[in-house]
Amino acid sequence: MGYRVKTLYESDKFPEMQLICGQSGIDREIRGIRIIEVPDMERFVSGGELLLTSMKAYQNINERKFMRCLEKLDKKQISGFVVKRNQTTEQQKKLFEILLQFGEEYQLPVIEIPQHMYFWEIIKYVLTQICDKETAKLAYFKMTHDNLSSILLNIFDKKKLIERLLFVVETMIGNPVALYNDDLDCLYASSPNLSAFIIEKDIEEYTPDIITRSNYLCQKRKHKEYVKKVDIFGQRKIYLVISEQKEPLTVLDFIALENTFSILQYILIRSTIEEDIAKKYRGDLEYRLLNGSLSGTEEDEVATILELNETDELQVITCRLIPKDNAANFNDGQRRDVETIKKEILKLLPEDYVYSNTNQLIYIHKEGQDRYKLEFRKKVEEVQQDVQRYLVEKGMNLDFLVGIGKCVTGYHHLKESFEDSKMALEYINIIRKIIGDKNKAVVDCSKLGIFYAFIKMKDKEGLWTYIPDSVSRLYQYDVKNKGELINTLECFLDNNQSLKKTSQQMFIHYRTVSYRLQRIMEISGMDFENASEMLVVRNGLIILRLVEER
């Protein structure tokens, strides 16, 4: 004897069920179960199904068409209806009355359940009563897949789509679910009552009794939690977390979750691709604004997209990853490193104005976001130190260098600030000499004083006119004799004219240093006791290094 409507109704599984009409048809056999999702549901039933409906599928049809739908369903010999009474409009009330009249006339049982009760718990229970285990799993897989897929086809906004998906999943499995990012911040949740999520040290792998493409992780905190990790192109990780707060998960629940995972993975991959395309487009516009390849009108259009104004005080900060071992700057590994560092920097700086390009990151800073310029420069230095520390911890053999361009008013002058920031990195070794810090990793062009003009000077021959003859003669001597007099002089002055420190730094005997200094004085006529002359010599050495860089 098959499973009857009467058996379901009289079981103690759903005590809130009420038989509201069709008492004489209660012995009808249940051979399947479906949710009514479209008005012409008769096309999707084969006979003997118990149909579940909130009447929403019929909200846009009139009484005559509704009666026709019921007649077609009766011809399919359905076993009855389980309904939620939804009578917010007069039309809904009329349709519900028609359903009750039809049920009495055609001996078709209609069972009412309260609004807070979800159809999926009835579906799971009935399938386990009318099918063997494997058939129930297959039928439930198809039902949940179709239902979840329909959400994907009907909602296009990512936020609304994921929120709806998680809500429906909670109704399917009877427990709250949530999505967390890499930092375990909650992105979306089906219930507001979920506690902060952490991954415990004793978390274990868990494999449910279904065919699954990847295992779950399972841990016990206040409630048992099942965790499924979504990896998006290796760029970021999203965690789907199911908290077993209300009832233990069953095999059918894990089947629903498997469908959820597939659809969620598709949503996240699709949105990531869309976001990457949008970011690349925005980044391309930003870079063209910075390199000055736009017309005035185009600059105005791009500035509107980037939300930049003509009165904004702006600075460009260029950051570069430089291999310590002289490896190539533009290989595939370098590109991945830049993306990794960009992810770290976005934790510290506004995402809208950070753009990656080959081996560099470019950031447009709006003055006023920090109260004082000194505070901003300190913030940049802190970011650099944090990133450099991260590189060391990850074993990346890279230096993270930062060039700060001058402050300009309005986006039309961003090119000037960008050029300055690049120049700061191009001549960083010379600038380190200027500011007296050989390990300086953050260089601000506004601190260069008169040397800013020398660095900007394009004429190599013109730079020679600013190098004193004494330095010029030593340079010519070194070129001719492959000597080290310029390097020795530079090291000697950098070490406050200390023979001992100079010999230690150059790894030569102090007598060798003494001999070279004697030769320097003989060739150039320098007076090391003359402070003014030494200032000119020091400046001349810096300009000489600029000439060598050209």
Side-chain angles (χ1 to χ4, degrees):
M1 187 176 180
Y3 190 74
R4 310 281 173 179
V5 175
K6 179 180 180 180
T7 312
L8 171 64
Y9 177 65
E10 292 180 349
S11 71
D12 58 359
K13 182 68 176 177
F14 306 107
E16 293 182 280
M17 281 184 168
Q18 296 293 324
L19 182 65
I20 54 177
C21 76
Q23 173 74 39
S24 56
I26 202 169
D27 284 324
R28 291 192 183 213
E29 182 181 357
I30 301 174
R31 298 196 298 274
I33 186 166
R34 294 290 299 266
I35 296 175
I36 295 179
E37 296 171 338
V38 291
D40 52 345
M41 193 65 193
E42 73 279 354
R43 295 192 297 124
F44 305 101
V45 297
S46 56
E49 286 91 350
L50 180 66
L51 298 181
L52 298 83
T53 180
S54 63
M55 304 294 287
K56 288 183 180 178
Y58 302 109
Q59 62 186 354
N60 294 320
I61 65 174
N62 57 35
E63 295 94 318
R64 182 180 297 176
K65 287 184 178 179
F66 181 56
M67 178 62 78
R68 209 172 288 142
C69 290
L70 293 177
E71 290 170 350
K72 290 178 180 178
L73 287 173
D74 185 58
K75 286 181 180 178
K76 289 281 187 173
Q77 297 184 334
I78 62 171
S79 59
F81 291 96
V82 175
V83 298
K84 288 185 181 182
R85 193 186 298 256
N86 186 6
Q87 299 185 29
T88 54
T89 67
E90 287 300 318
Q91 178 66 9
Q92 289 171 332
K93 290 179 182 179
K94 289 179 182 178
L95 295 183
F96 198 81
E97 288 301 319
I98 291 173
L99 175 64
L100 297 183
Q101 292 169 10
F102 188 88
E104 286 294 345
E105 182 178 348
Y106 289 85
Q107 301 179 0
L108 199 60
V110 178
I111 297 172
E112 184 180 4
I113 61 173
Q115 290 291 331
H116 67 80
M117 191 173 169
Y118 295 118
F119 290 142
W120 292 103
E121 51 189 309
I122 300 173
I123 292 171
K124 287 187 289 185
Y125 178 74
V126 169
L127 284 177
T128 59
Q129 302 303 309
I130 66 174
C131 305
D132 61 68
K133 183 178 178 181
E134 294 305 315
T135 305
K137 285 161 66 174
L138 182 62
Y140 197 65
F141 176 87
K142 185 178 186 310
M143 291 181 71
T144 54
H145 178 273
D146 291 348
N147 191 274
L148 294 172
S149 297
S150 69
I151 299 172
L152 190 63
L153 295 173
N154 291 302
I155 303 176
F156 302 100
D157 178 78
K158 174 189 169 183
K159 183 174 183 295
K160 292 178 180 177
L161 178 58
I162 294 179
E163 286 175 347
R164 178 62 184 171
L165 179 68
L166 296 188
F167 168 76
V168 172
V169 172
E170 180 173 352
T171 69
M172 289 178 172
I173 66 175
N175 287 294
V177 291
L179 286 182
Y180 296 85
N181 63 14
D182 275 5
D183 299 319
L184 305 185
D185 298 320
C186 185
L187 302 176
Y188 303 93
S190 64
S191 170
N193 302 321
L194 291 174
S195 60
F197 176 64
I198 59 172
I199 297 178
E200 301 286 0
K201 291 181 180 179
D202 60 349
I203 194 167
E204 298 177 344
E205 280 199 2
Y206 176 81
T207 304
D209 186 24
I210 62 169
I211 298 173
T212 176
R213 286 176 293 178
S214 60
N215 290 336
Y216 291 79
L217 296 172
C218 180
Q219 65 183 16
K220 181 72 188 309
R221 296 196 295 151
K222 183 178 179 181
H223 305 282
K224 184 177 282 189
E225 293 172 330
Y226 296 93
V227 182
K228 192 106 168 175
K229 183 171 68 174
V230 186
D231 192 310
I232 312 297
F233 301 131
Q235 296 179 14
R236 58 175 173 154
K237 296 179 181 65
I238 302 293
Y239 296 95
L240 174 65
V241 179
I242 304 96
S243 182
E244 207 173 64
Q245 292 185 11
K246 300 177 182 178
E247 54 191 66
L249 296 184
T250 66
V251 169
L252 295 184
D253 291 329
F254 281 107
I255 286 175
L257 287 171
E258 196 68 17
N259 278 320
T260 303
F261 183 73
S262 298
I263 290 172
L264 184 62
Q265 196 172 36
Y266 171 79
I267 294 169
L268 293 174
I269 288 174
R270 184 183 71 181
S271 66
T272 298
I273 293 172
E274 290 171 350
E275 287 168 10
D276 285 348
I277 291 172
K279 286 177 184 176
K280 186 179 186 307
Y281 177 68
R282 183 185 175 95
D284 289 345
L285 293 178
E286 182 179 315
Y287 194 69
R288 288 194 66 189
L289 183 63
L290 292 172
N291 67 22
S293 63
L294 300 172
S295 67
T297 302
E298 289 173 332
E299 284 186 351
D300 293 338
E301 292 176 2
V302 170
T304 300
I305 295 172
L306 299 179
E307 298 180 0
L308 298 173
N309 300 310
E310 291 189 17
T311 55
D312 286 338
E313 296 292 315
L314 304 168
Q315 264 183 303
V316 178
I317 291 84
T318 300
C319 313
R320 282 188 190 153
L321 289 173
I322 308 297
K324 293 181 179 180
D325 55 3
N326 297 316
N329 280 314
F330 307 110
N331 57 35
D332 222 28
Q334 182 83 325
R335 177 187 59 79
R336 289 192 295 270
D337 291 340
V338 169
E339 287 302 318
T340 301
I341 298 307
K342 182 178 179 181
K343 184 178 176 182
E344 291 302 306
I345 286 180
L346 289 179
K347 297 177 183 177
L348 308 166
L349 296 174
E351 181 175 3
D352 287 345
Y353 298 108
V354 176
Y355 167 65
S356 60
N357 177 285
T358 59
N359 68 331
Q360 65 185 5
L361 293 162
I362 303 162
Y363 167 53
I364 298 176
H365 172 67
K366 283 187 179 184
E367 285 290 322
Q369 292 175 348
D370 297 90
R371 191 174 177 186
Y372 300 109
K373 291 183 179 180
L374 178 60
E375 288 181 1
F376 169 65
R377 194 161 63 250
K378 285 182 177 178
K379 180 180 178 181
V380 172
E381 289 173 349
E382 288 171 1
V383 169
Q384 189 280 329
Q385 291 165 5
D386 288 344
V387 172
Q388 190 64 57
R389 194 178 301 114
Y390 174 83
L391 291 172
V392 173
E393 290 172 356
K394 294 297 181 181
M396 297 181 182
N397 196 29
L398 298 166
D399 277 327
F400 185 66
L401 305 179
V402 180
I404 302 176
K406 69 179 182 181
C407 185
V408 296
T409 301
Y411 53 83
H412 289 297
H413 301 287
L414 272 172
K415 180 183 177 182
E416 300 167 26
S417 185
F418 183 42
E419 290 297 327
D420 281 355
S421 68
K422 291 191 297 181
M423 183 182 67
L425 293 174
E426 186 178 350
Y427 295 103
I428 190 165
N429 290 328
I430 294 169
I431 293 171
R432 283 168 171 171
K433 292 181 183 297
I434 295 171
I435 61 181
D437 184 351
K438 64 181 180 180
N439 296 315
K440 190 72 172 175
V442 178
V443 180
D444 188 343
C445 271
S446 66
K447 301 299 175 185
L448 299 181
I450 192 171
F451 290 102
Y452 176 79
F454 290 129
I455 292 173
K456 295 281 283 185
M457 189 180 293
K458 303 296 183 185
D459 182 9
K460 186 174 180 179
E461 294 302 319
L463 282 172
W464 274 107
T465 63
Y466 294 96
I467 301 174
D469 288 342
S470 56
V471 176
S472 181
R473 285 196 295 271
L474 288 175
Y475 178 75
Q476 296 302 327
Y477 178 87
D478 276 350
V479 171
K480 185 176 180 180
N481 298 283
K482 297 183 180 180
E484 289 284 332
L485 297 186
I486 286 290
N487 290 340
T488 303
L489 174 62
E490 191 173 47
C491 187
F492 183 62
L493 295 179
D494 286 345
N495 286 290
N496 296 317
Q497 301 191 22
S498 167
L499 280 172
K500 182 179 180 180
K501 289 182 179 179
T502 303
S503 65
Q504 290 174 342
Q505 191 168 320
M506 296 190 73
F507 302 103
I508 57 177
H509 199 277
Y510 77 91
R511 287 181 180 174
T512 303
V513 176
S514 181
Y515 169 76
R516 288 181 183 178
L517 293 175
Q518 186 63 37
R519 290 293 294 147
I520 287 170
M521 288 187 288
E522 290 172 359
I523 295 169
S524 67
M526 288 181 189
D527 180 3
F528 291 119
E529 300 299 324
N530 188 325
S532 298
E533 183 179 355
M534 287 302 100
L535 178 61
V536 173
V537 169
R538 288 182 68 89
N539 292 343
L541 288 170
I542 291 170
I543 298 171
L544 176 63
R545 296 307 186 191
L546 277 175
V547 171
E548 290 178 330
E549 291 283 336
R550 299 299 167 87

